[in-house]
Amino acid sequence: MDFKLTTLGTSAAGPIPGRWASGQYLKTGTTGLLIDCGEGLQIALQQHGLGWSSIDVILISHLHGDHIYGLPGLLTSWGLYQRNTPLTIIGPADLAPYLDAVFGYSHTRMPYPVHYIFVDANVDRTLVYEDECIEVYTLPLSHRIPTVGYLVQEKERPRTILGTAIKEYQIPYKEIPAIKSGADYQAASGEVIPNALLTHDPPPIRSFVYASDTRPNPDLLPYIKGVDILFHEATFLHELADQADLSGHSTARQAAEMARQAQVKQLIIGHFSPRYGDLRPLLAEAQSIFPNTALAKEGKVFEVPYGGRTI
Ligand SMILES: [Zn+2]
Ligand SMILES: [Zn+2]
């Protein structure tokens, strides 16, 4: 069961040589999610073998161009490549008229079903999507226009029943679902076998948070405690903290402080201002506060193993 993030685009504003505008891909056990889609991102997807069959759901954080200018092109290409499976797009309500206008003026018709789910940036945490494996929630961010973050987490799994216990207590098949849900087992003799002797804990649920674009937002903290991966934007070094605040962004130090306060397991920083050719100072600034920080990089994969992280 995968839980694997690929950072595809790490540039704030527009794409620059070597860095695409915003975009990430999260592969879970059942579902492939694309998160934001800056200009040209379809090339990054192709470079990493992520065709239309890899993506079931698109999450859009907000309507600034560096997060959505790649979307009409990507959706159009999927039509040309004969996509025939449904697509769910989750984002602000203005996304639909934006895409309708582009497709209307360019006489483009989607040959596959597109289902929209609209988010409300004024509500702190809302479940916007679920399937048999994962849940997706919106989270509150603080930017210049309505913007949401996303929490993607696995659903709780049933307890794992021990094969040896089934044999030893001769448990009939029909009793197994109840035991997996935590019930004790009453044997034919009347003896009650406690659940703890029959099962062990399921693997911990894995979780990922996407927080971009945003100022450091204390309202986010209660919802991101202990997540496996926090992607938090770090557009600037802290020497430009005033500029970050004015433009609704964060510094590397602020991203790291959020990670430290939330006690997340790993921080990934990205959405780098094009002014920074060398990203090492941003990494060093963040790591001085939260050591387990990594730089997002085009095509870099961050995986949370089944059974949880060991760090
Ligand atoms: Zn942006
Ligand atoms: Zn923005």
Side-chain angles (χ1 to χ4, degrees):
M1 295 281 268
D2 280 332
F3 199 86
K4 197 159 71 174
L5 177 75
T6 307
T7 52
L8 294 164
T10 66
S11 180
I16 58 171
R19 280 186 222 157
W20 296 109
S22 287
Q24 307 199 350
Y25 176 70
L26 181 69
K27 178 78 181 89
T28 69
T30 48
T31 311
L33 302 104
L34 175 66
I35 307 161
D36 282 340
C37 190
E39 182 185 343
L41 203 79
Q42 59 174 309
I43 299 173
L45 287 164
Q46 286 174 33
Q47 284 172 334
H48 299 287
L50 299 168
W52 58 256
S53 60
S54 307
I55 296 169
D56 311 288
V57 177
I58 297 178
L59 306 174
I60 297 293
S61 61
H62 67 303
L63 298 188
H64 276 154
D66 57 325
H67 297 254
I68 59 166
Y69 283 168
L71 193 53
L74 177 68
L75 301 184
T76 303
S77 293
W78 283 349
L80 297 172
Y81 302 150
Q82 315 293 322
R83 179 180 180 125
N84 50 18
T85 54
L87 174 69
T88 299
I89 300 179
I90 302 174
D94 284 348
L95 202 52
Y98 158 69
L99 290 172
D100 286 348
V102 177
F103 295 146
Y105 286 117
S106 59
H107 300 270
T108 302
R109 217 193 110 262
M110 287 300 109
Y112 51 90
V114 177
H115 170 56
Y116 286 102
I117 296 171
F118 297 129
V119 302
D120 183 351
N122 296 313
V123 179
D124 272 4
R125 181 185 188 266
T126 311
L127 179 68
V128 285
Y129 176 85
E130 66 178 318
D131 57 30
E132 63 269 36
C133 177
I134 58 163
E135 295 169 339
V136 179
Y137 295 86
T138 59
L139 297 176
L141 298 184
S142 167
H143 194 38
R144 306 196 302 279
I145 62 171
T147 303
V148 295
Y150 288 101
L151 163 67
V152 182
Q153 67 180 25
E154 292 180 312
K155 287 185 168 170
E156 199 78 55
R157 290 195 186 83
R159 301 184 62 75
T160 308
I161 191 160
L162 302 165
T164 49
I166 296 175
K167 229 179 195 172
E168 185 178 346
Y169 299 109
Q170 299 185 332
I171 299 171
Y173 185 73
K174 66 177 172 49
E175 300 291 341
I176 288 176
I179 293 169
K180 281 180 147 187
S181 301
D184 298 336
Y185 172 62
Q186 186 165 19
S189 64
E191 185 190 3
V192 175
I193 319 296
N195 189 277
L197 294 180
L198 306 173
T199 64
H200 60 72
D201 291 341
I205 59 170
R206 295 172 288 184
S207 53
F208 164 69
V209 164
Y210 179 81
S212 186
D213 297 350
T214 187
R215 299 178 185 90
N217 184 14
D219 293 347
L220 190 59
L221 287 171
Y223 307 119
I224 65 172
K225 284 262 182 258
V227 295
D228 288 298
I229 297 176
L230 167 63
F231 173 83
H232 197 290
E233 72 128 285
T235 308
F236 299 106
L237 283 169
H238 203 69
E239 63 194 14
L240 294 180
D242 288 348
Q243 188 167 338
D245 187 50
L246 269 178
S247 56
H249 291 296
S250 298
T251 67
R253 184 191 297 178
Q254 290 166 335
E257 276 165 0
M258 291 292 292
R260 186 177 56 79
Q261 287 175 54
Q263 298 175 301
V264 305
K265 299 197 177 89
Q266 182 176 27
L267 170 66
I268 301 169
I269 54 172
H271 197 268
F272 308 118
S273 164
R275 81 189 58 218
Y276 301 117
D278 181 0
L279 300 173
R280 285 173 297 183
L282 289 141
L283 180 63
E285 184 174 286
Q287 283 182 331
S288 70
I289 288 156
F290 191 79
N292 195 18
T293 302
L295 291 174
K297 192 174 178 343
E298 276 60 21
K300 195 166 171 186
V301 174
F302 301 87
E303 187 159 13
V304 185
Y306 188 78
R309 305 185 89 114
T310 50
I311 54 165

